[in-house]
Amino acid sequence: MINDSPRLRLRFLQPGHSSRFGGTRVTEVVVRPVSDLPHALTDSSIENGTLLLVSLDSPHPSRATDRTIEHLIRLLARRKAAGLVLGTPGHNLQPFPEATLAVANSLGLPLLTTSADTTAWARVNEELRLRRAEFAERQVEHLDGLLNRLPTRLADPTAMRRIVDWLSEALDAEVLVTSARRGVLAAAPDSAPAGLAHAVITGTHTATAPAPGVPAGTMHTRIVSLSPGSPGADDEARLAIASHNAFDTAAAALIQHAAKLLGLCDQARREHQAMVETPRSVRHAAFQLLMRGETVLAQVVYTGAAQALLDTDTARVFVVDTGPQDREATLRWCETTLAEQALVAPCPGKPKHILVLEPVGPLDSFDPTHENDRVETVLRDLIAARQGHLLGQSRSHRLPEIANGYREALTAVADAAMTPHRISLGGSEAKFAPLLPRREARAWAADLMAPLLDAFPGRGDEQKMLLETLPTALSFKHTEAAGGLGVHRNTVTQRLNRAGKILSLDLRGSANDRILVLLALDILALPNTDDGTDDNAPSPINAPDFAALMMRGAADGTVKSWAEERLRPVQADQRDLVETLCVWLEHNLSTKQAARALALSEATIRNHTRDAAALLGMDFSTKMVGVHDTDVVTVADIALALHVLLGRPALTQPIRP
């Protein structure tokens, strides 16, 4: 009223009352002439929020008037009136008795004076009603805006920032939520922490209404505790607001509502941290200890309900990449779904990765019921249901060596995007050749390839040309092989015919011969640990046939374990890709004949074989496979895995004339 209605010429009689009572809410103004003072003492209309204006006849009140005014002050204080205005139309009130001023001050009743004519107050109550209506509308608008900012989860880490952003805009103010222990929790605009630093440190407020002598542009601040149950605690969160505009009643109410909501967000966030983030920190610490080989310490640190998860000999590691989607939702799902089956933790260094450690049985155990695949099944279903997610999986490792499993899964998840189902198995030995006993394998391979290597009848660079052609030509159809080799497909056919004639093998019509030649080339490409330069080197051995070589390789179970791991991705596919591969290989890699045998379309067979090859790590592109490549998966590795595990295709030693 003082600031917005200069015509009323209102001012406080006592210094300091501007800051003390400037925000007092006035509900109604009652005007009485001094002659009606005796009646005013019994006027029941004077109540809470009423501002009483007494119009004096003279700027020099008599002693009797002073005594009546003192009684009136006591009455107004009891009725919680807004204040008392002494009007002296056209004149300034002369010095008022100090005793009366002291009574008003002690009772907390503001005294004001005005020299405006009584007619200037005629429409004040109507203006007050309009202001109350505007205030109510503004409150409804503010509360509606605040409710629209309510998060679906109070523990949402972005909830506090959204409320602070809106409050800053609604009040045209700088807003800061801070804690002595946790620092800045939310701020708007970004410059708010610097602007409110002094107020937060000192905990001081400035006047909420302009006071005489306050320079223009002075910031008005409010500081509200968001933790009313523990004010002053180290972790107490506080809301600080600074504005060039004084905070009226509507703004003050809005600040209180926002503070309550921010307090709930802070409390929910702390509870979420205690219930979710703290266990995550424990799981992460256990994971880190396992990566360093500190198995015992990891078991001590991980004191969760599923502590028995670490009481195991071996485990597998999965890495889930959530891609562009929010990791939190998938992380909570994994924590809930796999709570009693695996150790789940967010990767601190990679914000899109989730780490899953699954305890499994001993390394040498075979699980025909696939009971140990329950976590893998759950994660595969997750990847299928959530677009953009990738899954990398390691082999089984002993717990002290689980860091190797993590590296395998990490490498696999990087390759998963190139597979049809966005899942990749890492770490398993890609090739079959390194698993065989080296001396026996080299003897067998050298014997099979001897006509082309030792007694080659050709001239010039023909031997080198044929050896470079065979790996690619035997791994792909002639058209694809020609693209990789950079020659015409007829040239590929001619070279295969020439090599087959030299080796006395059917390299075009027999899948058996093609697979065994590829295996022999893989074996010969491996480093030769027996180069004959050592005097103590073992004597040469007779070349075994293929069946004997396979028996020697299967003696310690390594070959069978390799085949199980290699085929695991296709065995899990519901399209029975294993059967498609077997029939395709048994029909000499002919799509047409395999389609006829399985009563499927050629397009289906083509899609199945390509998907299976991608899952198994075979590159069906047209890049050339070199004779010295020891890590490139070929069709021979797929066929050999099926032969070891299922006996299909039935591979045998070629019979040469």
Side-chain angles (χ1 to χ4, degrees):
M1 294 175 69
I2 293 175
N3 293 337
D4 298 341
S5 301
R7 61 191 176 84
L8 300 180
R9 301 174 190 171
L10 273 173
R11 68 181 180 85
F12 287 97
L13 272 178
Q14 295 174 279
H17 278 199
S18 173
S19 59
R20 184 179 175 187
F21 299 108
T24 301
R25 183 169 179 263
V26 176
T27 58
E28 186 179 16
V29 175
V30 176
V31 180
R32 293 286 185 268
V34 70
S35 58
D36 283 357
L37 280 185
H39 299 91
L41 293 173
T42 59
D43 192 344
S44 60
S45 64
I46 299 175
E47 54 188 14
N48 189 357
T50 300
L51 181 66
L52 178 62
L53 169 62
V54 175
S55 181
L56 302 178
D57 296 332
S58 167
H60 301 278
S62 65
R63 288 189 177 183
T65 300
D66 289 342
R67 287 194 297 271
T68 304
I69 289 176
E70 187 173 327
H71 288 301
L72 184 60
I73 289 172
R74 297 180 186 279
L75 172 69
L76 294 176
R78 286 198 302 272
R79 295 186 178 180
K80 301 185 183 307
L84 174 62
V85 180
L86 301 176
T88 53
H91 302 280
N92 291 326
L93 184 67
Q94 295 303 307
F96 210 64
E98 291 294 334
T100 305
L101 293 175
V103 170
N105 194 48
S106 65
L107 294 175
L109 183 78
L111 294 181
L112 303 96
T113 181
T114 180
S115 59
D117 190 84
T118 306
T119 57
W121 294 79
R123 297 181 59 83
V124 167
N125 286 326
E126 183 178 348
E127 291 179 8
L128 287 175
R129 283 192 291 273
L130 289 174
R131 291 194 180 201
R132 281 198 295 273
E134 292 174 359
F135 173 83
E137 291 178 2
R138 187 148 53 105
Q139 284 289 82
V140 170
E141 181 182 353
H142 281 162
L143 290 176
D144 184 59
L146 190 59
L147 289 173
N148 287 336
R149 267 67 182 181
L150 280 172
T152 55
R153 291 188 309 111
L154 287 176
D156 184 343
T158 66
M160 191 173 284
R161 176 61 196 243
R162 293 204 302 270
I163 295 170
V164 164
D165 285 343
W166 176 82
L167 187 60
S168 173
E169 182 179 349
L171 297 181
D172 189 20
E174 293 185 343
V175 182
L176 175 67
V177 179
T178 185
S179 162
R181 179 181 300 174
R182 292 173 288 161
V184 175
L185 304 180
D190 293 337
S191 59
L196 284 163
H198 177 73
V200 170
I201 293 171
T202 61
T204 57
H205 301 256
T206 62
T208 54
V214 175
T218 297
M219 297 291 283
H220 304 272
T221 64
R222 281 285 181 92
I223 298 178
V224 182
S225 173
L226 303 185
S227 311
S230 56
D234 290 343
D235 202 26
E236 176 196 10
R238 292 188 294 173
L239 168 65
I241 304 175
S243 175
H244 290 287
N245 304 314
F247 300 113
D248 59 13
T249 308
L254 182 62
I255 290 171
Q256 291 299 325
H257 289 309
K260 290 179 182 178
L261 183 54
L262 288 168
L264 289 174
C265 289
D266 186 52
Q267 180 182 352
R269 185 64 182 160
R270 293 195 212 186
E271 292 174 354
H272 176 77
Q273 183 176 12
M275 296 175 60
V276 177
E277 295 182 5
T278 298
R280 282 181 187 172
S281 299
V282 172
R283 289 194 293 269
H284 169 65
F287 240 116
Q288 291 299 102
L289 289 169
L290 287 173
M291 295 297 173
R292 290 159 40 190
E294 303 282 357
T295 306
V296 176
L297 282 178
Q299 292 170 332
V300 171
V301 167
Y302 187 54
T303 56
Q307 185 177 7
L309 289 175
L310 298 186
D311 295 334
T312 182
D313 294 327
T314 58
R316 287 189 294 179
V317 177
F318 298 85
V319 174
V320 178
D321 187 326
T322 57
Q325 301 182 31
D326 181 20
R327 178 175 70 174
E328 180 63 25
T330 301
L331 179 58
R332 291 200 310 271
W333 186 90
C334 290
E335 289 171 336
T336 302
T337 308
L338 302 175
E340 301 299 324
Q341 302 174 34
L343 180 63
V344 180
C347 179
K350 295 180 172 25
K352 297 179 181 179
H353 283 187
I354 299 170
L355 310 179
V356 180
L357 182 140
E358 177 203 19
V360 295
L363 286 172
D364 56 355
S365 66
F366 175 60
D367 179 22
T369 65
H370 298 284
E371 179 66 22
N372 283 335
D373 293 343
R374 58 188 181 279
V375 172
E376 179 183 347
T377 301
V378 168
L379 292 177
R380 284 179 173 272
D381 291 343
L382 167 71
I383 300 303
R386 305 197 182 199
Q387 292 297 321
H389 284 38
L390 306 172
L391 178 65
Q393 173 186 338
S394 78
R395 295 177 298 171
S396 297
H397 289 269
R398 301 198 183 279
L399 211 55
E401 301 169 355
I402 205 63
N404 295 331
Y406 169 69
R407 285 190 288 270
E408 290 174 3
L410 192 62
T411 301
V413 80
D415 298 332
M418 296 180 290
T419 65
H421 302 293
R422 295 172 279 117
I423 299 171
S424 178
L425 173 65
S428 59
E429 181 64 61
K431 305 287 289 178
F432 179 72
L435 304 176
L436 297 171
R438 188 65 53 90
R439 294 185 67 228
E440 289 84 347
R442 287 192 69 85
W444 172 82
D447 179 68
L448 184 68
M449 302 299 295
L452 185 58
L453 297 177
D454 300 333
F456 181 65
R459 297 179 180 179
D461 293 333
E462 186 181 12
Q463 181 191 50
K464 178 181 178 182
M465 178 188 66
L466 293 177
L467 288 174
E468 289 179 348
T469 299
L470 285 177
T472 301
L474 296 176
S475 298
F476 304 101
K477 293 194 299 185
H478 291 185
T479 302
E480 294 172 337
L485 293 168
V487 298
H488 194 275
R489 63 179 182 178
N490 290 340
T491 302
V492 175
T493 302
Q494 292 170 4
R495 291 180 183 177
L496 275 182
N497 289 338
R498 173 67 171 153
K501 184 176 181 180
I502 294 170
L503 294 171
S504 299
L505 298 174
D506 183 4
L507 299 183
R508 293 187 58 197
S510 169
N512 182 88
D513 291 359
R514 295 173 68 172
I515 291 166
L516 295 192
V517 168
L518 283 171
L519 174 60
L521 291 172
D522 284 342
I523 293 171
L524 295 174
L526 294 172
N528 184 10
T529 56
D530 178 18
D531 57 9
T533 59
D534 189 348
D535 293 337
N536 297 322
S539 58
I541 61 173
N542 294 326
D545 64 8
F546 179 73
L549 178 63
M550 294 297 288
M551 289 183 62
R552 290 292 304 274
D556 61 357
T558 302
V559 168
K560 183 177 181 180
S561 297
W562 170 84
E564 291 169 356
E565 289 289 344
R566 291 298 296 140
L567 295 177
R568 187 187 297 273
V570 291
Q571 285 179 322
D573 196 286
Q574 297 179 352
R575 295 174 293 175
D576 199 0
L577 297 182
V578 171
E579 178 64 18
T580 302
L581 287 173
C582 288
V583 173
W584 179 61
L585 289 164
E586 288 168 345
H587 287 81
N588 196 35
L589 281 62
S590 170
T591 301
K592 181 182 293 186
Q593 294 180 28
R596 188 180 298 114
L598 291 171
L600 297 172
S601 68
E602 291 184 34
T604 300
I605 297 298
R606 194 174 295 111
N607 290 335
H608 284 192
T609 53
R610 286 185 178 275
D611 288 353
L615 286 171
L616 295 170
M618 180 180 174
D619 187 358
F620 258 17
S621 67
T622 57
K623 74 178 182 181
M624 186 176 71
V625 181
V627 70
H628 298 295
D629 290 333
T630 59
D631 58 352
V632 177
V633 176
T634 67
V635 69
D637 297 296
I638 298 175
L640 288 161
L642 291 166
H643 174 76
V644 168
L645 204 60
L646 304 175
R648 300 173 62 190
L651 303 176
T652 60
Q653 180 75 24
I655 300 176
R656 293 191 291 204

